[in-house]
Structures are given as C-alpha cells and as structure tokens.
Amino acid sequence: MADGLVIIPTFNEIENIEAIVKTVFDLKKDFHVLVVDDNSPDGTAACVRNLQEQFPDQLFLEVRKEKSGLGTAYIHGFKWALERGYEYIFEMDADFSHRPADLSRLHRACVNGADVAVGSRYKKGVNVVNWPLARILLSYGASFYVKFITGMKVHDPTAGFVCYRRNVLENINLDNVRFIGYAFQIEMKYRAYLKKFKIEEVSIIFTDRINGKSKMNSAIIREAIFGVIAMKFRSIFFKKNF
C-alpha cells in the first residue's frame, strides 16, 4: 500500500480530472488518489468511476450530495485517509495549477522532518503564472495580512498545495474547523502552528488553470479577510473550544 494519499476535491472538473489523475499515477513515487466530488452536474464523478477500472487499487471516489465547500471536502478526505492508515495526506487542486511532479518534493520535506509541507508561491519572490496583476496583489496582500494577524512565519498561508503527516491531522480537532472556503487553508496551518508542528515551505511555480472556471468569489474573499481576525480572537479567548 502507498503511504501517501492525494485528496482532490472537485466540482465540475470534467475537463481536468482524467489528465490530473493519470499524471499523478505516472510519477515514480507511488501515490493513491481520493477524489471528493460534490455531485458535479458535468459528469466528473462518472469519469472517475470509469478511471477506477484502470486503477482499481489506487483511485478512490467519494461523492457528496451537494456543493458544500472546499474545507468540508478536505475534512471528509482527511477522515477517510486517517481511517485507512495513510502516513502522508496531500491537498491538491484538480486544474493543474499545482504541478503533480511537486508532490514528491512535498513528500520528501515531510520525510526529512517537516510535519506540514506547504507548496509556496511566495517563498522566493512571486512564482505565479497567468494571473492578472490585481489577483497577484490580492493574494500576496492577503498573505502579508494573515502573517501579521496570526504571527505565523509562513510566506504563503493561503496555499492549497500541502502535505500533512498523519499525526498533525490526528491532533487537530477536525470537527472544530470552521472555515469552508479558501480561508480553510489558513485555519489548518494556524491550528498546526499553535500545536507547535514544524511547517516548512517548498517553493513551487503556480500556474492558473487553463480549463474550467475558478471557484473564487466575493464571499470567499470576505471569509478570509474578516474570518482571520475572528479566528485569532477565538484562539485566544476560547482556547478549550478552538
């Protein structure tokens, strides 16, 4: 059995899912893949089921009833992974904005001592391709804002390309994680930071999706801006329930 599971949450990723799954399985390092699909109307889950005939012992699928947010999809995947004994659990987008080849680098960082390995766009300058300037400024500014509020020394706290050792997820109360949008990524890193886990950033090149539509919207941005302050407040004044 592979020791690493790559969790890929999907909603309407029919244009990308087959290619991303096959690319992961072409890597020298043996990974398993769990697709958590939010009942995509475009047939994403059906495509994965067809792929399972080719990869019956490597590819797994969980279909949820409706679109319920990125964070809850990952929590579902984390619990699935922990129940099945995986040592290294990865988050990765379906749209090739995260290069599958970098999975091995994140894995190596955790094998060599990191508890959380973050695929970082901003560890060495700004390594983002095909984003408009406004999007870069928003993302980079959000990273600075999160570092200022939380005290974390993570250059890319909103990054969604991450490897967790299983003991990190076992020691975070996953049922207490509140954020469901991109702020989920901030909260998970912050909870690991508060528990003194070693977070290491691995510099990557992030390329904006070519196929499909971005899930970013104004509600997600508001959650990240205002939610971070609320999260910091809860971690100070409601430690037992955080």
Side-chain angles (χ1 to χ4, degrees):
M1 176 178 167
D3 63 356
L5 177 74
V6 182
I7 302 171
I8 303 177
T10 57
F11 184 76
N12 288 347
E13 292 289 356
I14 190 66
E15 296 171 289
N16 297 304
I17 193 60
E18 180 173 355
I20 196 76
V21 166
K22 288 184 174 180
T23 304
V24 172
F25 291 151
D26 282 342
L27 298 173
K28 291 181 179 180
K29 164 69 181 166
D30 184 22
F31 293 101
H32 287 178
V33 172
L34 170 66
V35 175
V36 181
D37 184 69
D38 278 0
N39 202 18
S40 299
D42 70 348
T44 298
C47 180
V48 175
R49 290 189 186 97
N50 289 335
L51 287 170
Q52 285 181 303
E53 296 179 7
Q54 294 179 246
F55 309 103
D57 301 318
Q58 297 169 272
L59 178 60
F60 307 95
L61 172 67
E62 292 282 291
V63 179
R64 305 195 301 168
K65 291 182 179 180
E66 59 187 5
K67 188 177 181 182
S68 302
L70 180 75
T72 59
Y74 274 126
I75 294 296
H76 185 103
F78 291 160
K79 292 179 177 179
W80 192 96
L82 292 175
E83 289 172 0
R84 288 158 180 80
Y86 290 96
E87 179 61 34
Y88 304 97
I89 298 98
F90 298 79
E91 299 178 359
M92 189 176 75
D93 290 347
D95 60 8
F96 282 96
S97 56
H98 303 141
R99 297 189 306 177
D102 288 328
L103 287 167
S104 298
R105 299 174 62 222
L106 297 180
H107 177 262
R108 186 161 56 248
C110 282
V111 169
N112 290 338
D115 297 305
V116 182
V118 178
S120 178
R121 297 164 290 186
Y122 306 129
K123 182 180 179 180
K124 298 179 179 178
V126 178
N127 292 321
V128 176
V129 178
N130 292 340
W131 264 9
L133 179 60
R135 182 82 184 267
I136 293 174
L137 291 175
L138 176 64
S139 176
Y140 194 78
S143 298
F144 180 84
Y145 169 76
V146 170
K147 286 193 291 183
F148 176 75
I149 295 296
T150 64
M152 289 193 295
K153 306 302 181 184
V154 178
H155 297 291
D156 194 359
T158 64
F161 194 21
V162 185
C163 176
Y164 293 96
R165 294 188 69 105
R166 70 172 289 116
N167 66 312
V168 177
L169 300 181
E170 288 173 332
N171 282 279
I172 290 175
N173 189 333
L174 297 176
D175 292 328
N176 278 355
V177 176
R178 293 195 177 187
F179 292 141
I180 61 173
Y182 284 84
F184 165 82
Q185 305 293 0
I186 301 168
E187 183 172 358
M188 286 296 298
K189 296 178 186 68
Y190 185 54
R191 287 177 177 275
Y193 165 78
L194 290 179
K195 289 189 174 290
K196 310 297 184 184
F197 286 112
K198 181 181 179 181
I199 303 174
E200 180 176 326
E201 291 184 88
V202 175
S203 184
I204 65 163
I205 296 174
F206 179 96
T207 304
D208 195 22
R209 67 164 60 234
I210 295 174
N211 297 314
K213 295 181 179 180
S214 171
K215 311 303 188 295
M216 180 67 73
N217 58 46
S218 59
I220 288 171
I221 294 172
R222 285 196 302 272
E223 180 189 60
I225 293 173
F226 299 109
V228 169
I229 295 177
M231 178 186 70
K232 176 70 172 181
F233 181 86
R234 292 197 313 273
S235 72
I236 295 172
F237 295 103
F238 302 97
K239 288 183 179 181
K240 291 183 179 180
N241 295 320
F242 183 70

